[in-house]
């Protein structure tokens, strides 16, 4: 994990499914602005939030915007730490290969540790 | 130890107790003279800034309670510009620009950007508390 010197750590946890209103968009917007302020941003997907990470979503079919493209572009805006809770994945029929690459699979206990180290936690 | 609090409220004023809880929390901080830098309304919480909100008199007056708190303790009430405009809460400048015949942002609330919140979060002395 890249850690900026003396950086504030902000964890943004997303537990809402993709296509469920503006939650994902507004969570990512906050993450992007925090990253622009040189904070280390950890984007953590849990529960139904992991649906945001399914590869090959065609949101355009329902005239929505494709979240996957947004996630793929995040590293260019200094959000390099995208995590997925293993326990949430295990509850579904999804495999890690169904999801976007470069997502880090971590356990709930590891997420707790990440949250303890963070300065801020915002849940969407 | 945090020296100053920033309050983030993201829930709709009508769907959860978040606003009522946040109001009680901020009031307690203020009474104990613990500084609150700002209250930032994001997502559906920005509906509280609609000046046309007219709840029945026997129901909680959430918008009024925030405004009283702001007046009493000089706490700035900030709304996110993108979240506000997305939900049709417009200040007079934006309403004019979009050719609407009225603005509905209550003047006690200030339209700001996420940058304002992120800047506050970048301050090591700030503790962010999120009500949702």
């Amino acid at each position: 994990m890249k850690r900026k010197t003396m950086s504030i750590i902000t964890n943004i946890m997303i537990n809402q499914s993709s296509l469920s209103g503006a939650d994902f968009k507004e969570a990512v917007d906050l993450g992007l602005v925090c990253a622009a302020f040189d904070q280390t941003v950890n984007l953590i997907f849990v529960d139904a939030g992991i649906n945001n990470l399914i590869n090959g979503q065609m949101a355009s079919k329902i005239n929505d915007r494709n979240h996957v493209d947004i996630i793929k572009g995040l590293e260019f805006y200094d959000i390099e730490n995208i995590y997925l809770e293993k326990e949430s994945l295990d509850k579904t029929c999804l495999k890690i290969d169904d999801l976007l690459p470069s997502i880090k699979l971590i356990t709930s206990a590891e997420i707790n540790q990440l949250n303890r180290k963070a300065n801020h936690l915002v849940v969407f | 130890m945090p020296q100053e609090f920033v309050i983030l409220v993201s829930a709709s004023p009508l769907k959860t107790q978040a606003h009522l809880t946040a109001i009680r929390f901020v009031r307690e901080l203020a009474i104990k003279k613990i500084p609150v830098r700002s209250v930032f309304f994001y997502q559906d919480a920005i509906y509280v800034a609609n000046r046309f909100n007219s709840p029945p008199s026997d129901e909680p007056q959430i918008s009024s309670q925030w405004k009283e708190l702001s007046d009493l303790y000089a706490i700035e009430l900030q709304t996110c510009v993108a979240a506000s405009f997305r939900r049709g809460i417009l200040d007079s400048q934006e309403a004019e620009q979009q050719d609407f015949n009225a603005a509905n942002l209550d003047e006690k609330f200030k339209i700001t950007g996420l940058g304002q919140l992120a800047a506050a979060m970048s301050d090591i002395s700030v503790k962010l508390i999120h009500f949702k």
Side-chain angles (χ1 to χ4, degrees), chain B residues 24-36:
Chain B
R24 290 208 314 277
F25 184 72
V26 171
R27 190 179 291 125
E28 278 306 306
L29 290 176
I31 288 168
K32 293 187 164 63
K33 302 206 185 313
I34 299 169
V36 178

Side-chain angles (χ1 to χ4, degrees), chain B residues 26-27 30 39 63-77 106-109:
Chain B
V26 171
R27 190 179 291 125
V39 180
S63 300
S64 305
Q65 287 187 40
W66 276 122
K67 290 191 283 179
E68 280 165 27
L69 211 50
S70 167
D71 279 343
L72 206 52
Y73 300 108
I75 296 167
E76 191 166 85
L77 305 176
D106 192 296
E107 60 181 15
K108 292 277 181 192
F109 292 80

Side-chain angles (χ1 to χ4, degrees), chain B residues 89-126:
Chain B
I89 307 291
L90 307 184
D91 59 355
S92 51
Q93 196 184 339
E94 184 67 15
E96 199 176 318
Q97 204 166 332
Q98 303 238 16
D99 221 10
F100 288 114
N101 60 9
N104 57 350
L105 177 79
D106 192 296
E107 60 181 15
K108 292 277 181 192
F109 292 80
K110 191 178 168 198
I111 292 249
T112 63
L114 281 173
Q116 199 90 8
L117 175 65
M121 288 163 69
S122 287
D123 187 337
I124 194 77
S125 66
V126 160

